[in-house]
Amino acid sequence: RRRVESALDTIRDEGECWRMTGERDNLMRVATTGLRDFEALRDGRVTKVAGVAAIQSSIPVRRVKTGDERLP
């Protein structure tokens, strides 16, 4: 686990990474200039991290709500 986290830390300049509970171990949130750059990041760097067995990607279509509200 620490080896994967250390490797993902080297990609942090692309976004942020969270340790998760549930089905997935980690959540990376990244911003790229387009799909081509996203594919290059995913296929060229993230998939090459030893210990990464699967990747699930989601790309937002549009923002539904804006704000910085916090849950109680």
Side-chain angles (χ1 to χ4, degrees), residues 8 11-12 14 16-18 26-30 41 46:
L8 293 176
I11 304 172
R12 73 174 168 197
E14 308 293 340
E16 56 191 25
C17 186
W18 296 78
N26 296 289
L27 169 69
M28 288 189 74
R29 182 177 172 202
V30 299
L41 173 65
V46 179

Side-chain angles (χ1 to χ4, degrees), residues 63 65-70:
R63 185 182 307 259
K65 180 168 178 14
T66 305
D68 192 16
E69 298 83 14
R70 302 284 186 224

Side-chain angles (χ1 to χ4, degrees), residues 27 31 35 38-39 66:
L27 169 69
L35 288 175
F38 173 74
E39 288 178 320
T66 305

Side-chain angles (χ1 to χ4, degrees), residues 30-45:
V30 299
T32 61
T33 57
L35 288 175
R36 188 170 289 150
D37 288 339
F38 173 74
E39 288 178 320
L41 173 65
R42 183 194 63 202
D43 299 340
R45 295 178 70 188

Side-chain angles (χ1 to χ4, degrees), residues 9 22 50 71:
D9 189 46
L71 295 175

